[in-house]
Amino acid sequence: MYGNEEKIEITILLFIRGGKPLLNFGDSLYVLVLTFLTYQFTSSTLIASMVAVSQFVGQVLGAVLIPFFMYHFKLKRNSFSICKYVKLFSSVA
């Protein structure tokens, strides 16, 4: 019914669609546990809230600074190729 390349594309699509919500859930659970443990150790809501604030500040700084790093450290065109991963998936399937 499907060709080998179509099976690979469907598998990758399902992996991406299923993986992203799981990743978001894991990230939320991680921040929740860190906040909870910080509150238990310090008994301070201000310090416990700094866990989420520091994660937010880190994401903002990363989003602002990544274009400068991408411009400064340019990758060669051949150093990263999707074809390498397609070949890897096709050899596994």
Side-chain angles (χ1 to χ4, degrees), residues 15-52:
F15 179 73
I16 291 172
R17 283 192 167 200
K20 184 68 174 173
L22 192 61
L23 180 70
N24 288 340
F25 176 72
D27 188 39
S28 300
L29 190 62
Y30 177 71
V31 172
L32 177 72
V33 168
L34 279 180
T35 306
F36 179 73
L37 289 175
T38 305
Y39 180 71
Q40 277 196 334
F41 287 134
T42 63
S43 298
S44 170
T45 54
L46 179 67
I47 295 174
S49 67
M50 287 296 131
V51 173

